[in-house]
């Protein structure tokens, strides 16, 4: 099992600095969240230099509009090219959002019969992520396939693998162990995005919410899950001081490794 750090947790920092922090903290690698920095002409060169600091095992396709790439559909195609260029093995993307009126993306998504074959992503596993409810008082389900069971059925039929997000499932009040078991039984679970949550906040520092962290981690260990697990917490959960940021990342990693039975 590889324990990764999502670059999205510190998106406001230069990419090399994020990788350096993750390496100092002791993570096995990073999940690269593609954001608007990709508009830079030297973006791929920077990413390749970052891979010399720590390997990238997973790439998260952008969920914000990228001017240079245009549509969400093309963003997935361009993400595949970057993934191939750095020899990463997994891509994660979100399903279409009806709330954001992603009609072109939805039509493409709906007619796709075999994602792996159609997109020519040989050697790369495309994963789709379960999505949350959003809102404070009125909770909305803004994504297509917001029901994770429907998402699993769709993925199996269309040759997709899965990234399981604990916080996203937590917004439905569902035990993450129950969700994990559903995804794990498919044989297609490639990555877990882990963070804590409570009734009003998501992507929290592990231990700051209501998720049964120890129970969840020990369950996936006992059942033999041996793919990727990625710490994906909100940037607001980490201090701005590099010294304290590093201390907190080391603490989170120690917590993960302890309950996963990995060498600390």
């Amino acid at each position: 099992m590889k324990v990764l750090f999502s670059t999205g947790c510190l998106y406001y920092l230069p990419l090399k600095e994020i990788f350096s922090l993750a390496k100092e903290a002791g993570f096995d690698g990073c999940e690269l969240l593609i954001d608007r920095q990709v508009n830079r002409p030297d973006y791929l060169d920077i990413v390749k230099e970052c891979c010399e600091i720590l390997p990238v095992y997973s790439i998260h396709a952008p969920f914000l509009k990228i001017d240079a790439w245009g549509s969400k559909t093309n963003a997935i195609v361009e993400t595949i090219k970057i993934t191939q260029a750095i020899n990463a093995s997994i891509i994660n993307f979100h399903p279409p959002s009806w709330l954001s009126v992603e009609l072109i993306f939805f039509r493409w998504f709906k007619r796709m019969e075999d994602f792996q074959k159609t997109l020519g992503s040989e050697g790369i596993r495309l994963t789709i992520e379960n999505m949350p409810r959003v809102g404070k008082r009125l909770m909305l389900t803004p994504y297509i396939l917001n029901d994770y069971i429907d998402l699993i059925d769709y993925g199996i039929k269309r040759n997709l693998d899965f990234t399981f997000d604990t916080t996203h499932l937590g917004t439905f009040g569902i035990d993450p162990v129950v969700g994990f078991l559903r995804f794990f039984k498919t044989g297609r679970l490639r990555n877990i995005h882990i963070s804590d949550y409570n009734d009003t906040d998501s992507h929290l520092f592990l231990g700051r919410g209501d998720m049964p962290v120890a129970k969840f981690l020990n369950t996936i260990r006992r059942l033999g899950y041996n793919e990727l697990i990625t710490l994906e917490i909100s940037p607001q959960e980490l201090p701005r001081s590099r010294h304290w940021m590093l201390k907190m990342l080391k603490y989170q990693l120690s917590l993960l490794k302890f309950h996963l039975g990995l060498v600390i």
Side-chain angles (χ1 to χ4, degrees):
M1 189 188 306
K2 302 289 186 186
V3 184
L4 311 184
F5 180 68
S6 170
T7 62
C9 302
L10 295 170
Y11 72 92
Y12 55 87
L13 291 178
L15 208 50
K16 287 184 183 179
E17 177 65 9
I18 301 173
F19 274 74
S20 295
L21 279 162
K23 182 176 181 178
E24 285 185 58
F27 287 90
D28 297 314
C30 284
E31 176 175 85
L32 175 65
L33 171 62
I34 295 181
D35 56 20
R36 287 172 177 153
Q37 292 185 58
V38 78
N39 289 317
R40 295 179 49 156
D42 60 346
Y43 180 77
L44 185 56
D45 292 331
I46 293 172
V47 169
K48 288 179 177 179
E49 290 173 10
C50 288
C51 290
E52 296 177 5
I53 301 171
L54 267 185
V56 171
Y57 290 101
S58 174
I59 296 186
H60 198 311
F63 48 78
L64 299 173
K65 182 175 175 57
I66 303 297
D67 292 338
W69 289 358
S71 69
K72 286 282 188 74
T73 303
N74 192 57
I76 293 176
V77 173
E78 293 298 325
T79 301
I80 291 173
K81 293 178 183 177
I82 291 177
T83 307
Q84 291 169 333
I86 65 171
N87 296 316
S89 58
I90 292 173
I91 292 173
N92 177 46
F93 71 96
H94 294 173
S97 168
W98 63 263
L99 192 62
S100 300
V101 199
E102 295 178 340
L103 294 178
I104 295 174
F105 185 32
F106 170 70
R107 293 191 188 105
W108 174 85
F109 184 82
K110 186 177 180 181
R111 69 173 179 262
M112 194 65 82
E113 295 183 359
D114 187 324
F115 279 82
Q116 303 287 160
K117 183 178 179 180
T118 303
L119 293 172
S121 54
E122 185 177 350
I124 299 169
R125 299 308 302 175
L126 291 169
T127 74
I128 191 168
E129 182 177 352
N130 63 297
M131 299 307 292
R133 293 194 299 173
V134 298
K136 295 293 184 181
R137 295 179 181 177
L138 178 63
M139 298 294 285
L140 299 175
T141 51
Y143 291 90
I144 305 301
L145 303 175
N146 240 140
D147 185 317
Y148 78 103
I149 295 175
D150 292 341
L151 183 81
I152 289 172
D153 289 342
Y154 177 90
I156 291 172
K157 290 175 183 176
R158 310 298 176 98
N159 195 16
L160 282 170
D161 289 350
F162 302 107
T163 290
F164 171 51
D165 191 298
T166 59
T167 274
H168 291 175
L169 190 69
T171 63
F172 290 88
I174 301 172
D175 187 330
V177 171
V178 173
F180 167 77
L181 291 174
R182 283 274 192 169
F183 281 103
F184 186 61
K185 286 177 182 177
T186 67
R188 290 173 172 262
L189 181 59
R190 304 297 171 216
N191 196 1
I192 296 172
H193 285 172
I194 190 163
S195 60
D196 215 329
Y197 55 83
N198 57 32
D199 290 339
T200 58
D201 297 299
S202 62
H203 294 102
L204 298 176
F205 198 74
L206 297 175
R208 281 232 311 134
D210 301 327
M211 186 176 109
V213 176
K215 171 188 170 185
F216 178 78
L217 294 173
N218 278 280
T219 298
I220 71 174
R221 173 181 58 82
R222 290 198 308 270
L223 292 177
Y225 176 74
N226 196 32
E227 300 283 346
L228 306 177
I229 184 165
T230 302
L231 181 67
E232 189 191 62
I233 56 179
S234 168
Q236 286 71 40
E237 290 296 288
L238 290 167
R240 293 296 175 121
S241 159
R242 193 182 194 282
H243 172 76
W244 286 105
M245 187 187 294
L246 190 57
K247 278 184 174 291
M248 293 183 76
L249 289 179
K250 286 181 177 179
Y251 171 76
Q252 290 284 268
L253 183 60
S254 295
L255 177 67
L256 287 166
K257 287 189 171 184
F258 176 76
H259 289 293
L260 291 170
L262 303 173
V263 176
I264 299 177

